[in-house]
């Protein structure tokens, strides 16, 4: 994985602090061309990976990538699934049959039959595979070396003790998509401990990691201890703690931690993208020199 990953929250008006900012972002990115232009800013600044949800509009971005193969030849997209709002809205607008027809890939009746049999036999892993295939439909022909399970599902499975489903997700992503599975969670220490007991080795785990403990279940100290003592590949997200920490302070903190393989951030302007990436490079160099002394 690359050191710097670019996220998509700003494109879909996700702001944890301000409704006014959410509204402004919604207006700014109402056209797909605005999203593509901002992704190109991030690429030019040095971030060659886009980590995104499976929001319907991402299908348009993937189509743009497919139409420009030379420009995006080395560009990676990390899908994060499922995007629950998409299905809720689709069921409201299209009904259950219409939703299945729109999102399930391949033969409609065959997929419905497979899903129906899986449901009746309580074969939850087959249902999961069907849903993964549905979510991956829009990414056909796009580089997707890591595919993530969203925290809304990961953390539910942790709570239910269904570690076997996490392992099944890991296996299916490797087998069907020749990719690595990643897990997004709001409880990194718990997930690391659970996966240690399975056959999943050196997992990719994305979690909130920031100076004030924002959305870090178990507390900042436990996260820092886990990073120092456990083997996994961590991606730090929400490093600005929703705006509670200044960019410089936030980036210095996360760059000072061990075992952070990648930093995920989102920004809506060219100058903010360039400043954040510059800060990451600056503090990476600082702590590299500190470590070498």
């Amino acid at each position: 994985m690359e050191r710097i990953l670019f996220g998509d929250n700003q494109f879909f008006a996700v702001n944890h602090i301000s409704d006014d900012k959410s509204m402004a972002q919604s207006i700014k990115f109402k056209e797909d061309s605005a999203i593509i232009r901002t992704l190109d800013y991030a690429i030019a600044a040095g971030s060659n990976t886009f980590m995104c949800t499976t929001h319907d509009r991402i299908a348009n971005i993937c189509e743009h990538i497919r139409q420009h193969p030379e420009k995006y030849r080395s560009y990676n997209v990390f899908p994060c699934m499922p995007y629950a709002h998409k299905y809720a809205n689709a069921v409201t607008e299209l009904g259950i049959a219409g939703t299945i027809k729109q999102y399930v890939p391949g033969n409609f009746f065959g997929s419905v039959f497979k899903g129906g049999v899986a449901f009746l036999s309580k074969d939850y892993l087959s249902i999961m595979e069907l849903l993964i295939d549905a979510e991956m439909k829009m990414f056909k022909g796009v580089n997707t070396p890591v595919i993530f399970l969203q925290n809304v599902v990961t953390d539910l499975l942790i709570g239910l003790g269904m570690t076997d489903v996490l392992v099944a997700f890991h296996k299916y992503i490797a087998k069907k998509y020749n990719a690595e599975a990643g897990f997004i969670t709001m409880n990194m220490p718990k997930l690391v401990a659970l996966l240690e007991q399975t056959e999943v080795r050196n997992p990719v785990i994305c979690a909130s990691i920031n100076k004030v403990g924002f959305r870090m279940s178990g507390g900042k100290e436990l996260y820092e201890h886990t990073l120092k003592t456990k083997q996994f590949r961590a991606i730090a997200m929400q490093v600005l703690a929703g705006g509670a920490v200044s960019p410089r302070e936030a980036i210095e903190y996360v760059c000072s931690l061990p075992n952070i393989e990648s930093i995920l951030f989102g920004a809506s302007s060219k100058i903010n993208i360039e400043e954040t990436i510059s800060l990451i490079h600056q503090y990476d160099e600082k702590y590299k020199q500190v470590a070498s002394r």
Side-chain angles (χ1 to χ4, degrees):
M1 295 188 297
E2 294 189 32
R3 176 63 168 168
I4 303 171
L5 313 179
F6 194 65
D8 73 340
N9 273 355
Q10 69 282 355
F11 298 146
F12 305 122
V14 178
N15 189 293
H16 300 292
I17 298 297
S18 169
D19 289 339
D20 290 340
K21 285 187 177 180
S22 292
M23 181 62 71
Q25 289 171 342
S26 177
I27 295 170
K28 181 172 183 176
F29 294 110
K30 65 180 179 180
E31 302 292 339
D32 293 334
S33 59
I35 295 177
I36 293 165
R37 184 165 54 249
T38 305
L39 291 178
D40 288 343
Y41 291 153
I43 293 170
S47 175
N48 210 40
T49 299
F50 179 39
M51 187 163 164
C52 60
T53 61
T54 54
H55 190 287
D56 277 342
R57 288 182 64 194
I58 293 297
N60 301 335
I61 307 306
C62 290
E63 181 58 28
H64 176 80
I65 292 172
R66 282 190 290 269
Q67 290 177 357
H68 299 82
E70 290 300 323
K71 181 178 179 180
Y72 298 103
R73 181 176 298 279
S74 61
Y75 195 56
N76 292 322
V77 176
F78 289 178
C80 306
M81 62 182 66
Y83 189 67
H85 293 297
K86 175 174 67 179
Y87 295 107
N89 293 337
V91 169
T92 301
E93 295 174 6
L94 306 173
I96 293 176
T99 300
I100 293 172
K101 187 176 181 180
Q102 175 158 329
Y103 291 111
V104 171
N107 180 277
F108 171 68
F109 294 105
S111 297
V112 170
F113 178 75
K114 178 183 176 183
V117 170
F119 179 76
L120 291 174
S121 62
K122 296 184 179 180
D123 182 359
Y124 300 121
L125 299 186
S126 291
I127 294 173
M128 178 195 70
E129 292 175 0
L130 199 62
L131 293 173
I132 292 172
D133 292 343
E135 294 282 57
M136 287 301 294
K137 185 180 175 184
M138 70 174 75
F139 298 99
K140 187 176 182 180
V142 175
N143 298 328
T144 56
V146 187
I147 299 168
F148 284 85
L149 192 64
Q150 286 276 24
N151 58 288
V152 65
V153 176
T154 303
D155 292 341
L156 176 63
L157 295 172
I158 291 174
L160 295 173
M162 298 177 69
T163 314
D164 59 323
V165 181
L166 298 175
V167 174
F169 178 79
H170 171 82
K171 288 182 176 178
Y172 189 67
I173 293 300
K175 178 183 175 183
K176 179 71 182 284
Y177 297 99
N178 192 29
E180 287 194 79
F183 303 95
I184 303 174
T185 180
M186 295 297 160
N187 195 337
M188 183 186 77
K190 181 71 173 178
L191 178 59
V192 171
L194 284 175
L195 291 179
E196 271 188 336
Q197 301 170 31
T198 72
E199 60 197 87
V200 179
R201 294 288 175 266
N202 202 21
V204 178
I205 295 178
C206 179
S208 298
I209 300 175
N210 52 72
K211 193 171 184 177
V212 296
F214 177 68
R215 289 189 162 184
M216 296 168 68
S217 297
K220 189 176 76 167
E221 290 73 20
L222 182 56
Y223 271 59
E224 292 174 349
H225 177 74
T226 303
L227 287 166
K228 288 177 183 174
T229 59
K230 302 296 183 180
Q231 184 179 10
F232 65 104
R233 288 167 289 168
I235 298 175
M237 67 175 183
Q238 298 182 329
V239 297
L240 300 177
V245 185
S246 73
R248 179 171 293 278
E249 193 178 3
I251 298 299
E252 176 166 20
Y253 170 73
V254 78
C255 287
S256 73
L257 297 172
N259 203 19
I260 300 289
E261 186 161 323
S262 301
I263 297 170
L264 171 65
F265 82 100
S268 56
S269 71
K270 182 180 180 183
I271 189 168
N272 284 345
I273 291 169
E274 292 174 343
E275 285 181 355
T276 302
I277 291 178
S278 176
L279 283 172
I280 293 171
H281 289 319
Q282 177 185 334
Y283 284 109
D284 273 349
E285 183 61 27
K286 174 183 175 178
Y287 286 100
K288 182 180 176 182
Q289 292 179 3
V290 170
S292 65
R293 290 174 188 165

mmCIF file of all heavy atoms in Angstrom, residues 8-15 22 25-26 29 35 50 52-53 55-58 61 83:
data_model
loop_
_atom_site.group_PDB
_atom_site.id
_atom_site.type_symbol
_atom_site.label_atom_id
_atom_site.label_comp_id
_atom_site.label_asym_id
_atom_site.label_seq_id
_atom_site.Cartn_x
_atom_site.Cartn_y
_atom_site.Cartn_z
ATOM 1 N N ASP A 8 -12.996 9.770 0.296
ATOM 2 C CA ASP A 8 -14.118 10.324 -0.478
ATOM 3 C C ASP A 8 -15.196 11.005 0.350
ATOM 4 O O ASP A 8 -16.208 11.446 -0.197
ATOM 5 C CB ASP A 8 -14.762 9.216 -1.319
ATOM 6 C CG ASP A 8 -15.584 8.231 -0.471
ATOM 7 O OD1 ASP A 8 -15.368 8.166 0.759
ATOM 8 O OD2 ASP A 8 -16.428 7.526 -1.048
ATOM 9 N N ASN A 9 -15.020 11.103 1.668
ATOM 10 C CA ASN A 9 -16.085 11.680 2.495
ATOM 11 C C ASN A 9 -16.544 13.049 2.001
ATOM 12 O O ASN A 9 -17.744 13.359 1.979
ATOM 13 C CB ASN A 9 -15.612 11.814 3.956
ATOM 14 C CG ASN A 9 -15.850 10.539 4.745
ATOM 15 O OD1 ASN A 9 -16.451 9.600 4.232
ATOM 16 N ND2 ASN A 9 -15.366 10.494 5.971
ATOM 17 N N GLN A 10 -15.580 13.878 1.611
ATOM 18 C CA GLN A 10 -15.925 15.234 1.206
ATOM 19 C C GLN A 10 -16.808 15.264 -0.049
ATOM 20 O O GLN A 10 -17.596 16.191 -0.242
ATOM 21 C CB GLN A 10 -14.652 16.072 0.984
ATOM 22 C CG GLN A 10 -13.808 15.680 -0.216
ATOM 23 C CD GLN A 10 -12.955 14.435 0.040
ATOM 24 O OE1 GLN A 10 -12.923 13.912 1.139
ATOM 25 N NE2 GLN A 10 -12.244 13.959 -0.981
ATOM 26 N N PHE A 11 -16.712 14.238 -0.874
ATOM 27 C CA PHE A 11 -17.489 14.221 -2.114
ATOM 28 C C PHE A 11 -18.975 13.974 -1.861
ATOM 29 O O PHE A 11 -19.819 14.313 -2.675
ATOM 30 C CB PHE A 11 -16.956 13.143 -3.062
ATOM 31 C CG PHE A 11 -15.534 13.371 -3.499
ATOM 32 C CD1 PHE A 11 -14.681 12.296 -3.720
ATOM 33 C CD2 PHE A 11 -15.037 14.657 -3.679
ATOM 34 C CE1 PHE A 11 -13.372 12.502 -4.134
ATOM 35 C CE2 PHE A 11 -13.721 14.868 -4.081
ATOM 36 C CZ PHE A 11 -12.884 13.787 -4.306
ATOM 37 N N PHE A 12 -19.258 13.332 -0.729
ATOM 38 C CA PHE A 12 -20.641 12.949 -0.454
ATOM 39 C C PHE A 12 -21.173 13.608 0.828
ATOM 40 O O PHE A 12 -22.008 13.049 1.532
ATOM 41 C CB PHE A 12 -20.742 11.425 -0.396
ATOM 42 C CG PHE A 12 -20.199 10.780 -1.647
ATOM 43 C CD1 PHE A 12 -19.169 9.869 -1.584
ATOM 44 C CD2 PHE A 12 -20.701 11.135 -2.892
ATOM 45 C CE1 PHE A 12 -18.652 9.301 -2.738
ATOM 46 C CE2 PHE A 12 -20.187 10.582 -4.050
ATOM 47 C CZ PHE A 12 -19.162 9.663 -3.983
ATOM 48 N N ALA A 13 -20.600 14.785 1.097
ATOM 49 C CA ALA A 13 -21.107 15.646 2.164
ATOM 50 C C ALA A 13 -21.056 15.009 3.543
ATOM 51 O O ALA A 13 -21.956 15.205 4.364
ATOM 52 C CB ALA A 13 -22.529 16.099 1.841
ATOM 53 N N VAL A 14 -20.002 14.222 3.791
ATOM 54 C CA VAL A 14 -19.832 13.632 5.118
ATOM 55 C C VAL A 14 -18.879 14.510 5.914
ATOM 56 O O VAL A 14 -17.688 14.591 5.616
ATOM 57 C CB VAL A 14 -19.259 12.200 5.028
ATOM 58 C CG1 VAL A 14 -19.042 11.635 6.438
ATOM 59 C CG2 VAL A 14 -20.203 11.307 4.236
ATOM 60 N N ASN A 15 -19.428 15.217 6.896
ATOM 61 C CA ASN A 15 -18.610 16.061 7.758
ATOM 62 C C ASN A 15 -19.075 15.845 9.186
ATOM 63 O O ASN A 15 -20.253 16.034 9.497
ATOM 64 C CB ASN A 15 -18.732 17.539 7.358
ATOM 65 C CG ASN A 15 -17.731 18.407 8.090
ATOM 66 O OD1 ASN A 15 -17.805 18.587 9.294
ATOM 67 N ND2 ASN A 15 -16.760 18.930 7.331
ATOM 68 N N SER A 22 -21.006 20.411 5.313
ATOM 69 C CA SER A 22 -21.594 19.315 4.536
ATOM 70 C C SER A 22 -22.403 19.860 3.370
ATOM 71 O O SER A 22 -22.312 19.369 2.238
ATOM 72 C CB SER A 22 -22.498 18.452 5.429
ATOM 73 O OG SER A 22 -21.743 17.762 6.377
ATOM 74 N N GLN A 25 -20.093 21.286 0.703
ATOM 75 C CA GLN A 25 -19.435 20.226 -0.073
ATOM 76 C C GLN A 25 -20.414 19.558 -1.036
ATOM 77 O O GLN A 25 -20.060 19.196 -2.155
ATOM 78 C CB GLN A 25 -18.828 19.193 0.878
ATOM 79 C CG GLN A 25 -17.608 19.720 1.631
ATOM 80 C CD GLN A 25 -17.135 18.781 2.719
ATOM 81 O OE1 GLN A 25 -17.868 17.897 3.156
ATOM 82 N NE2 GLN A 25 -15.909 18.970 3.167
ATOM 83 N N SER A 26 -21.650 19.406 -0.585
ATOM 84 C CA SER A 26 -22.666 18.801 -1.439
ATOM 85 C C SER A 26 -22.856 19.623 -2.704
ATOM 86 O O SER A 26 -22.996 19.078 -3.813
ATOM 87 C CB SER A 26 -23.978 18.685 -0.663
ATOM 88 O OG SER A 26 -24.992 18.161 -1.474
ATOM 89 N N PHE A 29 -19.568 19.484 -5.046
ATOM 90 C CA PHE A 29 -19.309 18.234 -5.771
ATOM 91 C C PHE A 29 -20.577 17.629 -6.380
ATOM 92 O O PHE A 29 -20.674 16.414 -6.544
ATOM 93 C CB PHE A 29 -18.629 17.231 -4.841
ATOM 94 C CG PHE A 29 -17.244 17.659 -4.426
ATOM 95 C CD1 PHE A 29 -16.992 18.056 -3.122
ATOM 96 C CD2 PHE A 29 -16.206 17.690 -5.344
ATOM 97 C CE1 PHE A 29 -15.718 18.477 -2.733
ATOM 98 C CE2 PHE A 29 -14.936 18.102 -4.972
ATOM 99 C CZ PHE A 29 -14.688 18.501 -3.663
ATOM 100 N N ILE A 35 -15.480 16.002 -8.829
ATOM 101 C CA ILE A 35 -14.807 14.904 -8.120
ATOM 102 C C ILE A 35 -13.546 14.493 -8.876
ATOM 103 O O ILE A 35 -12.468 14.343 -8.294
ATOM 104 C CB ILE A 35 -15.765 13.699 -7.962
ATOM 105 C CG1 ILE A 35 -16.944 14.068 -7.059
ATOM 106 C CG2 ILE A 35 -15.012 12.483 -7.401
ATOM 107 C CD1 ILE A 35 -17.973 12.963 -6.915
ATOM 108 N N PHE A 50 -7.141 5.928 -4.374
ATOM 109 C CA PHE A 50 -8.429 6.491 -3.964
ATOM 110 C C PHE A 50 -9.179 5.431 -3.170
ATOM 111 O O PHE A 50 -9.492 4.371 -3.685
ATOM 112 C CB PHE A 50 -9.217 6.895 -5.205
ATOM 113 C CG PHE A 50 -10.570 7.478 -4.942
ATOM 114 C CD1 PHE A 50 -10.796 8.338 -3.882
ATOM 115 C CD2 PHE A 50 -11.644 7.184 -5.795
ATOM 116 C CE1 PHE A 50 -12.057 8.899 -3.652
ATOM 117 C CE2 PHE A 50 -12.898 7.736 -5.581
ATOM 118 C CZ PHE A 50 -13.100 8.586 -4.506
ATOM 119 N N CYS A 52 -12.564 4.528 -1.369
ATOM 120 C CA CYS A 52 -13.913 5.082 -1.508
ATOM 121 C C CYS A 52 -14.989 4.071 -1.119
ATOM 122 O O CYS A 52 -14.764 2.867 -1.088
ATOM 123 C CB CYS A 52 -14.140 5.519 -2.950
ATOM 124 S SG CYS A 52 -13.974 4.181 -4.156
ATOM 125 N N THR A 53 -16.159 4.603 -0.851
ATOM 126 C CA THR A 53 -17.329 3.760 -0.617
ATOM 127 C C THR A 53 -17.846 3.252 -1.959
ATOM 128 O O THR A 53 -17.302 3.591 -3.020
ATOM 129 C CB THR A 53 -18.444 4.576 0.058
ATOM 130 O OG1 THR A 53 -18.804 5.656 -0.827
ATOM 131 C CG2 THR A 53 -17.975 5.139 1.389
ATOM 132 N N HIS A 55 -20.727 4.113 -3.138
ATOM 133 C CA HIS A 55 -21.777 5.077 -3.497
ATOM 134 C C HIS A 55 -22.043 4.979 -4.998
ATOM 135 O O HIS A 55 -21.127 4.756 -5.792
ATOM 136 C CB HIS A 55 -21.272 6.482 -3.132
ATOM 137 C CG HIS A 55 -22.321 7.548 -3.211
ATOM 138 N ND1 HIS A 55 -22.804 8.024 -4.410
ATOM 139 C CD2 HIS A 55 -22.961 8.265 -2.238
ATOM 140 C CE1 HIS A 55 -23.695 8.966 -4.175
ATOM 141 N NE2 HIS A 55 -23.810 9.136 -2.870
ATOM 142 N N ASP A 56 -23.291 5.163 -5.399
ATOM 143 C CA ASP A 56 -23.650 5.039 -6.820
ATOM 144 C C ASP A 56 -22.780 5.889 -7.734
ATOM 145 O O ASP A 56 -22.426 5.474 -8.848
ATOM 146 C CB ASP A 56 -25.121 5.443 -7.017
ATOM 147 C CG ASP A 56 -26.067 4.292 -6.696
ATOM 148 O OD1 ASP A 56 -25.592 3.145 -6.659
ATOM 149 O OD2 ASP A 56 -27.262 4.555 -6.469
ATOM 150 N N ARG A 57 -22.417 7.083 -7.291
ATOM 151 C CA ARG A 57 -21.663 7.996 -8.169
ATOM 152 C C ARG A 57 -20.233 7.512 -8.409
ATOM 153 O O ARG A 57 -19.577 7.963 -9.349
ATOM 154 C CB ARG A 57 -21.673 9.407 -7.582
ATOM 155 C CG ARG A 57 -23.045 10.078 -7.693
ATOM 156 C CD ARG A 57 -23.023 11.476 -7.150
ATOM 157 N NE ARG A 57 -22.152 12.350 -7.908
ATOM 158 C CZ ARG A 57 -21.756 13.545 -7.465
ATOM 159 N NH1 ARG A 57 -22.150 13.974 -6.278
ATOM 160 N NH2 ARG A 57 -20.966 14.296 -8.210
ATOM 161 N N ILE A 58 -19.747 6.608 -7.549
ATOM 162 C CA ILE A 58 -18.402 6.064 -7.775
ATOM 163 C C ILE A 58 -18.380 5.263 -9.086
ATOM 164 O O ILE A 58 -17.346 5.159 -9.743
ATOM 165 C CB ILE A 58 -17.980 5.186 -6.580
ATOM 166 C CG1 ILE A 58 -17.797 6.064 -5.324
ATOM 167 C CG2 ILE A 58 -16.678 4.436 -6.884
ATOM 168 C CD1 ILE A 58 -16.697 7.106 -5.434
ATOM 169 N N ILE A 61 -17.185 7.514 -11.679
ATOM 170 C CA ILE A 61 -15.741 7.761 -11.568
ATOM 171 C C ILE A 61 -14.964 6.573 -12.155
ATOM 172 O O ILE A 61 -13.973 6.751 -12.867
ATOM 173 C CB ILE A 61 -15.344 7.989 -10.093
ATOM 174 C CG1 ILE A 61 -16.222 9.081 -9.463
ATOM 175 C CG2 ILE A 61 -13.867 8.333 -9.998
ATOM 176 C CD1 ILE A 61 -16.239 10.389 -10.222
ATOM 177 N N TYR A 83 -22.164 0.011 1.122
ATOM 178 C CA TYR A 83 -22.665 1.373 1.355
ATOM 179 C C TYR A 83 -24.154 1.238 1.666
ATOM 180 O O TYR A 83 -24.992 1.155 0.771
ATOM 181 C CB TYR A 83 -22.416 2.247 0.128
ATOM 182 C CG TYR A 83 -22.715 3.705 0.375
ATOM 183 C CD1 TYR A 83 -21.931 4.450 1.257
ATOM 184 C CD2 TYR A 83 -23.776 4.339 -0.254
ATOM 185 C CE1 TYR A 83 -22.200 5.784 1.499
ATOM 186 C CE2 TYR A 83 -24.052 5.668 -0.020
ATOM 187 C CZ TYR A 83 -23.263 6.390 0.861
ATOM 188 O OH TYR A 83 -23.535 7.712 1.102
#
